[in-house]
Amino acid sequence: MLNALIGIVVIIVIIYISIVVYQKHLLKLAKEMETETKHFESLKLEDEFNQLKQIGLIGDSLDKINAAETKFNKIIKEELPQLNSILMSVENSSNSFNILKTRDSSDEAQNLLEKIATELDDVEETLNKTFKLAREHRTAVSDLENRYKSLRKLLLTKNGDFGPALDALEERLSSIEETFDDFSNLTKQGDHANAEKILVDLNHATVNLEDMVKAIPALYQENHVKFDNQLNEITEAYQKMRSEGFAFEDDDFEISLKELRQSVNDNIINIEHLDIEFVKDQDSQINKRINDLYEKMEVQINARKKVDKSIKQIGKFIEHAYYQNKALSDELEQLSHNYSLEHGEIQITQQLGNKINSIGKQHETDLNSINDGNAIYTRIAKNLETFKTELTTIEKKQMALNDSISEFSAEEKKAHQILNDLNAELHAIQRKIENLNLPGISDDYVDYFGVVADEINHLSSTMNKVKISMDAVQKQLEQIKSDRDTLQEKTDDLIDQSILAEQVMQYANRYVGNALEIDVALAKAKDFFDHKFRYADSLATIANAVDKVEPGAYQKIEDRYYDNKAKSTKK
């Protein structure tokens, strides 16, 4: 029971403390709202309303200020006193335990305070905006007035700079000044809302006019003076160049000059109508076309300098190539009686001659166009460059042909010398074999010797023909040299093998009757040597037998033979 009572007491104490804390919170809020209310009451907006009334407002501006003043008076006379009353109620009820009433009063005060704050913000915004517009409009009146004076003075003192656009500019300025008068009157009357609507368009029109006044003198100067001077200069230069013999590909100078003069005249009319952006676009196109005409003339002038510098050299180059080709052709004609020309030398020379003639004809055409006063120098300069390249190539081919045919006589003489040498070598080989006094020669060697002899005879016949094919001679020489080398190897082998076979058989005689292997091998070796002429087999047979009886004996005999042979060769 006691515990229950204690619990109840604790709950009551907690509730009491909570109520007290909440009441203090509400009282604090009320104090804060009271401070803010005093701030609102301290606002002295009546002076600002009076200032605006002294300025004198009409129209929308006056309506907005009157509505703001009415709203402000209502706040001061009705809503703020009401708010103070509610806050006092909150403070009074905060000492009682009727927290629900205190809370409701606090919420009501908070809502009313927020409403008053919003309304006062609107009032202050209207005042600030009206003051700002009034200041801006007064400044705008002064600024615009000075700008119009400057424009009027500029149009008056520099009227020649504006050409046909002057009347339109003055008319545009007068129209803007009429609009400015309306704006100035509305500003003086205090109708700033409607004045602001006019000011936006007025500023745009003024800036646009100032831009025109700034741009037109340069545009008029460009069309009336610069372009006109350039077209006169081009016309004069074109006529002078034509009189000096210049011609142009797709010559459209006269048409272009006529069109450009019309474009310039049209553009001056566009300036008169103040169509500035279109004028700028047309100026860009006119300027490009004029520069193109200048470039066409400059290209021809530069090309003529190149032509004047190189045309005589190319003429001499063509003449040189012609005579070189004729000399080459004559030489080939003479050589063709004694030699077979198997690499198309005559055809190549004819082709080079045709090319030289073609270059000469085109060069003559270019010279005639210069003499006739209708020279397109860019085309001629390009031809000269091409001629130089082609003639250089022709010259290289002529030199290569000349080098190749100039060697024919030397090659023939050299071939005769080689043929004589080969004949001498073949006879020397034959004498070497005969000096051996061998019982006979193998058919293989005799056949191969005959092949080489036949090849030499065939070459001799080839070179004794009325018309020699040096290609055939060279091929036969290469084949004979190869076969000659092989024959020399076969001859050396034949000599070495036959002599060694005889020496080894002589050495083996010391073992005859004492070694059966020697007797049998010696008989067989002699048969190979004397009857079959197989000297290699004879040497192999007896050498093997001797080595069996006396190991290393053959190697000693062979070493001594080659040593003596080497010494004999040195001598």
Side-chain angles (χ1 to χ4, degrees):
M1 185 65 178
L2 180 60
N3 289 338
L5 289 174
I6 292 171
I8 292 170
V9 171
V10 170
I11 292 171
I12 291 172
V13 171
I14 291 171
I15 292 172
Y16 174 76
I17 292 172
S18 298
I19 290 172
V20 171
V21 171
Y22 187 63
Q23 284 178 330
K24 287 184 177 181
H25 169 69
L26 293 176
L27 182 61
K28 182 181 179 183
L29 285 177
K31 292 294 183 182
E32 291 174 353
M33 286 188 282
E34 185 177 351
T35 300
E36 196 164 352
T37 301
K38 289 179 179 179
H39 168 69
F40 291 155
E41 290 173 342
S42 67
L43 295 176
K44 302 298 182 182
L45 299 183
E46 295 89 346
D47 294 340
E48 295 185 21
F49 282 114
N50 290 332
Q51 288 178 22
L52 288 174
K53 288 177 181 179
Q54 290 174 5
I55 292 174
L57 300 176
I58 63 171
D60 291 344
S61 298
L62 180 60
D63 292 341
K64 290 178 180 179
I65 288 300
N66 286 338
E69 185 177 25
T70 300
K71 184 183 290 186
F72 178 72
N73 289 334
K74 182 179 179 183
I75 293 171
I76 297 299
K77 295 177 181 179
E78 297 178 14
E79 294 178 352
L80 284 177
Q82 181 185 355
L83 179 58
N84 284 326
S85 175
I86 295 171
L87 290 173
M88 188 177 294
S89 173
V90 171
E91 291 178 6
N92 292 334
S93 62
S94 64
N95 295 322
S96 67
F97 287 97
N98 192 356
I99 60 173
L100 295 178
K101 180 180 178 182
T102 303
R103 184 196 63 190
D104 292 342
S105 296
S106 178
D107 290 344
E108 183 182 2
Q110 185 69 37
N111 291 334
L112 182 56
L113 180 64
E114 291 176 357
K115 178 176 178 294
I116 291 171
T118 301
E119 290 174 341
L120 283 174
D121 286 342
D122 291 342
V123 170
E124 287 185 316
E125 183 180 359
T126 300
L127 285 170
N128 292 336
K129 188 174 182 180
T130 303
F131 273 117
K132 181 182 178 184
L133 283 176
R135 287 192 300 271
E136 288 178 350
H137 291 172
R138 285 195 298 273
T139 302
V141 168
S142 176
D143 176 61
L144 289 171
E145 193 169 21
N146 290 331
R147 288 161 74 181
Y148 299 146
K149 286 180 181 179
S150 297
L151 288 171
R152 182 68 69 183
K153 180 180 178 181
L154 188 61
L155 293 176
L156 181 63
T157 57
K158 302 286 185 179
N159 52 52
D161 293 348
F162 301 98
L166 181 63
D167 292 341
L169 290 171
E170 289 180 338
E171 184 179 342
R172 183 73 64 90
L173 177 58
S174 297
S175 175
I176 292 174
E177 286 176 333
E178 289 178 5
T179 304
F180 169 73
D181 291 340
D182 293 339
F183 167 72
S184 181
N185 290 332
L186 288 172
T187 298
K188 290 175 182 177
Q189 293 170 6
D191 191 357
H192 296 291
N194 287 320
E196 180 66 15
K197 295 175 183 177
I198 294 176
L199 181 60
V200 174
D201 293 335
L202 188 60
N203 272 326
H204 181 268
T206 302
V207 170
N208 189 36
L209 180 60
E210 288 173 332
D211 289 342
M212 287 183 183
V213 169
K214 186 183 296 182
I216 285 175
L219 295 175
Y220 179 62
Q221 173 75 12
E222 188 168 39
N223 284 271
H224 181 61
V225 179
K226 178 186 172 184
F227 288 159
D228 188 61
N229 289 341
Q230 287 178 327
L231 293 175
N232 290 336
E233 183 181 45
I234 291 172
T235 301
E236 183 179 347
Y238 170 73
Q239 292 172 351
K240 186 174 183 294
M241 289 179 70
R242 289 295 291 124
S243 69
E244 292 176 353
F246 284 90
F248 299 86
E249 280 189 278
D250 302 324
D251 189 349
D252 60 349
F253 269 81
E254 293 181 353
I255 295 174
S256 295
L257 288 168
K258 184 178 179 180
E259 290 176 350
L260 284 167
R261 289 189 187 281
Q262 185 60 50
S263 296
V264 171
N265 291 334
D266 291 343
N267 225 22
I268 290 177
I269 295 173
N270 294 329
I271 292 174
E272 182 181 356
H273 294 159
L274 305 182
D275 197 351
I276 304 304
E277 292 305 316
F278 185 67
V279 170
K280 290 180 180 179
D281 180 66
Q282 290 298 105
D283 279 358
S284 177
Q285 295 183 35
I286 292 170
N287 196 57
K288 182 180 182 305
R289 291 188 65 186
I290 287 176
N291 287 336
D292 288 345
L293 292 179
Y294 274 120
E295 185 178 357
K296 284 183 179 180
M297 292 190 293
E298 185 179 5
V299 166
Q300 292 299 329
I301 291 171
N302 291 336
R304 180 169 182 171
K305 293 177 182 178
K306 293 180 180 179
V307 170
D308 290 344
K309 184 178 180 180
S310 60
I311 194 163
K312 290 183 179 180
Q313 296 174 354
I314 294 299
K316 292 179 180 179
F317 204 168
I318 294 171
E319 186 177 356
H320 171 74
Y322 174 79
Y323 284 115
Q324 282 290 102
N325 216 66
K326 187 176 184 307
L328 186 60
S329 180
D330 292 344
E331 177 71 12
L332 287 170
E333 174 64 24
Q334 185 176 351
L335 287 172
S336 66
H337 297 298
N338 299 320
Y339 299 98
S340 295
L341 302 176
E342 299 166 321
H343 299 284
E345 290 89 348
I346 293 177
Q347 291 80 2
I348 292 172
T349 305
Q350 290 174 346
Q351 291 171 2
L352 294 179
N354 292 337
K355 185 62 177 177
I356 293 168
N357 290 335
S358 175
I359 292 172
K361 288 180 181 179
Q362 182 59 56
H363 184 59
E364 186 177 358
T365 300
D366 291 341
L367 288 174
N368 290 336
S369 69
I370 293 174
N371 294 330
D372 295 341
N374 288 304
I376 302 174
Y377 282 98
T378 49
R379 184 185 296 170
I380 296 173
K382 185 177 180 181
N383 286 343
L384 292 176
E385 285 293 326
T386 303
F387 295 162
K388 183 178 180 181
T389 301
E390 291 176 343
L391 288 170
T392 301
T393 301
I394 289 171
E395 186 177 48
K396 290 179 180 178
K397 290 182 178 180
Q398 288 174 336
M399 292 173 64
L401 273 173
N402 189 62
D403 290 343
S404 67
I405 63 176
S406 65
E407 296 173 357
F408 277 8
S409 178
E411 288 179 0
E412 182 186 2
K413 184 176 180 181
K414 183 178 179 181
H416 276 294
Q417 183 60 49
I418 294 173
L419 179 61
N420 292 334
D421 292 343
L422 289 171
N423 264 317
E425 289 178 17
L426 193 63
H427 288 305
I429 290 172
Q430 186 175 4
R431 285 196 298 272
K432 285 182 180 180
I433 299 302
E434 290 173 350
N435 290 336
L436 292 174
N437 294 317
L438 295 173
I441 305 297
S442 69
D443 292 340
D444 288 344
Y445 182 86
V446 172
D447 290 342
Y448 202 85
F449 185 92
V451 168
V452 176
D454 289 342
E455 288 176 345
I456 292 173
N457 291 331
H458 184 261
L459 175 60
S460 179
S461 298
T462 300
M463 294 186 68
N464 288 325
K465 289 181 179 179
V466 176
K467 184 180 287 189
I468 301 173
S469 170
M470 292 308 298
D471 283 353
V473 168
Q474 292 298 333
K475 288 179 182 178
Q476 289 181 48
L477 280 174
E478 292 301 320
Q479 183 62 48
I480 294 171
K481 288 178 181 178
S482 176
D483 291 343
R484 182 274 316 272
D485 292 341
T486 302
L487 178 62
Q488 188 64 58
E489 290 177 3
K490 289 180 177 290
T491 301
D492 289 342
D493 290 342
L494 175 61
I495 293 171
D496 294 339
Q497 291 163 1
S498 63
I499 293 174
L500 281 170
E502 285 183 323
Q503 289 180 0
V504 175
M505 283 190 287
Q506 289 175 3
Y507 187 83
N509 283 333
R510 70 181 64 185
Y511 294 107
V512 172
N514 297 322
L516 181 61
E517 295 92 338
I518 294 296
D519 295 341
V520 173
L522 190 59
K524 189 174 182 182
K526 285 183 177 181
D527 182 57
F528 280 136
F529 194 95
D530 294 333
H531 303 104
K532 296 180 180 178
F533 319 130
R534 290 163 55 182
Y535 303 109
D537 293 337
S538 175
L539 175 61
T541 300
I542 193 63
N544 288 332
V546 168
D547 272 345
K548 287 180 180 178
V549 175
E550 185 183 341
Y554 171 70
Q555 189 63 49
K556 291 179 182 178
I557 296 170
E558 184 182 56
D559 290 345
R560 184 167 57 252
Y561 167 77
Y562 282 114
D563 286 343
N564 292 332
K565 183 178 180 180
K567 292 176 182 177
S568 175
T569 302
K570 289 180 181 180
K571 292 179 181 178

